[in-house]
Amino acid sequence: MIGRRAFLGSTLALAACDRFAAAEPTPADDLPPLKIAPFPIGACARSNHPDDPAWRALALRNLDQITAEWEMKMEAIVGDDGTLSFTGADKLAAFARDNDLRLHGHALIWYSQDNPFFRGLPEARFGAEYDGYIAAVAGRYRGQAVSWDVVNEPISEDGSGLRDCLWSQRLGQDGYMIRAFEQTRAADPDAVLFLNDYNLENLPAKGATFLKTVERLLKAGAPIGGIGTQSHLDIEIPAGQIRDWMRDAGSLGLPIHVSELDASLRRDGPVDLRTPAQRREQQVARVRELAEAFMALPERQRFDFSVWGLRDTDSWLREGERDDGKDSPLPFDAAGRPNPMAGAMVNAFS
Ligand code: G3I
């Protein structure tokens, strides 16, 4: 069965890839669903997505798991007076439950999500409110969320150390992370608890600092259950860098979560002489490398492989001033037809 499926998948995917070389979208039914993979496939979702029949059909065809793109973060839950609101989060949790999709919780503690309520707390109350927030959110989805990004993006931009943030200022650089993992474990004894960050493949120094941080926190007793690599890929990094990262990350023996894959075709900066085909080729090569590196992990370490959106037009990279209307960072185009990276993923996963 595997042989036939693999043959079918690889043949179709290669054919699709070839057709993709000309960046011609493939009819959606030409390519097997992404969840042909032998591990869960996920994507982020916004609470209005399930109301879109096209998104819904694409999600149910391709996904085993969803992550709330923003509705389970402090910015959506915590009011300036500290009251908690779960409307968007509950809607996505209900969609996951009603459609037998796993729910990945994102993100309990994040440097960029501090807010007036926590900033305004007196020292004497800060720890209790911090613990109470984690208990309220992780406890609410206990029994449904299979996992949590307990701490998001703790490593500094250049990878030289840890970020300074409200949480580290109040509770200590490692202290806020250890406490967050301990409080989440208390609120949900069964969820897999992740430390999650980005540019771990793109910047080897950052990837190395991240892994050292995981090891140090584990030694300090933090119940870290997995490594989350967001994989917002820089498609111009050297071949092999992604594979090396995945090998190093896998060496810790923990489950690995590719948590937010997208692969922008655009480059910051004024000049980009690459042709569309060259950028597409770079994108497919890096996505294929990531997918193959993930496939090469032991089965027990392949937690989930998630993209940060299904259709190009769902991407954060297509919002506001970023959007030149041409970026194609995700597996499907605006009409839900497979982009070249979908073929690379299916081919690697088959
Ligand atoms: O939709 C609401 C709208 O109803 C409301 O009126 C408006 C008021 O601010 O907010 C809108 O929500 C925005 C939301 O995206 C949906 O568009 C939020 O303001 C905005 O902050 C939010 O941005 C998200 C961002 O994280 C911050 O939470 C992006 O969608 C999301 O793609 C991005 O995802 C992050 C990951 O969590 C962590 N890794 C990096 C990744 C990309 O930045």
Side-chain angles (χ1 to χ4, degrees), residues 237-265:
I237 60 174
Q241 207 165 282
I242 293 169
R243 181 203 58 225
D244 295 347
W245 150 256
M246 198 63 79
R247 182 201 57 223
D248 294 348
S251 69
L252 271 64
L254 290 170
I256 307 275
H257 186 199
V258 169
S259 54
E260 305 180 15
L261 170 61
D262 50 34
S264 175
L265 297 175

Side-chain angles (χ1 to χ4, degrees), residues 44 46 68-71 73 75 106-107 110 112-113 152-153 196 198 230 232 260 262 308 315-316 319 322:
C44 71
R46 292 181 190 170
E69 183 163 10
W70 74 291
E71 287 87 347
K73 297 170 183 171
E75 69 178 297
H106 172 82
W110 184 10
S112 82
Q113 295 271 312
N152 194 42
E153 304 177 4
N196 190 54
Y198 67 93
Q230 294 180 13
H232 296 288
E260 305 180 15
D262 50 34
W308 204 239
S315 175
W316 67 292
E319 278 172 1
R322 287 192 194 92

Side-chain angles (χ1 to χ4, degrees), residues 236 265-275 279:
E236 297 186 83
L265 297 175
R266 298 182 65 203
R267 173 197 291 168
D268 293 339
V271 181
D272 188 349
L273 299 176
R274 295 171 297 170
T275 64
R279 291 189 280 173

Side-chain angles (χ1 to χ4, degrees), residues 89-111:
D90 285 351
K91 186 177 174 190
L92 280 170
F95 172 73
R97 185 190 57 239
D98 297 346
N99 292 281
D100 294 328
L101 295 169
R102 300 194 333 168
L103 178 67
H104 173 68
H106 172 82
L108 289 171
I109 300 298
W110 184 10
Y111 80 90

Side-chain angles (χ1 to χ4, degrees), residues 167-330:
W167 322 115
S168 64
Q169 289 156 14
R170 296 292 195 95
L171 299 173
Q173 278 217 320
D174 281 359
Y176 86 92
M177 294 189 273
I178 296 165
R179 188 166 183 151
F181 277 93
E182 289 172 342
Q183 292 302 317
T184 311
R185 171 55 69 242
D188 187 341
D190 304 318
V192 182
L193 307 185
F194 286 88
L195 190 69
N196 190 54
D197 216 324
Y198 67 93
N199 275 354
L200 303 181
E201 306 91 350
N202 299 337
L203 298 176
K206 186 170 183 182
T209 301
F210 178 89
L211 295 180
K212 287 194 192 87
T213 301
V214 171
E215 290 176 316
R216 187 176 69 251
L217 296 177
L218 283 168
K219 282 200 183 81
I224 298 175
I227 286 172
T229 181
Q230 294 180 13
S231 303
H232 296 288
L233 295 183
D234 172 353
I235 61 173
E236 297 186 83
I237 60 174
Q241 207 165 282
I242 293 169
R243 181 203 58 225
D244 295 347
W245 150 256
M246 198 63 79
R247 182 201 57 223
D248 294 348
S251 69
L252 271 64
L254 290 170
I256 307 275
H257 186 199
V258 169
S259 54
E260 305 180 15
L261 170 61
D262 50 34
S264 175
L265 297 175
R266 298 182 65 203
R267 173 197 291 168
D268 293 339
V271 181
D272 188 349
L273 299 176
R274 295 171 297 170
T275 64
Q278 284 169 332
R279 291 189 280 173
R280 216 29 129 180
E281 193 181 324
Q282 285 176 329
Q283 179 192 62
V284 170
R286 297 292 69 79
V287 170
R288 179 186 301 119
E289 183 180 340
L290 178 73
E292 289 175 349
F294 190 79
M295 269 298 278
L297 290 168
E299 186 179 349
R300 62 181 173 74
Q301 288 187 264
R302 300 186 304 211
F303 180 77
D304 170 85
F305 192 103
S306 280
V307 289
W308 204 239
L310 281 170
R311 302 165 299 189
D312 293 331
T313 41
D314 296 326
S315 175
W316 67 292
L317 294 166
R318 288 287 296 265
E319 278 172 1
E321 73 288 346
R322 287 192 194 92
D323 184 14
D324 65 353
K326 301 191 195 84
D327 204 359
S328 177
L330 291 173

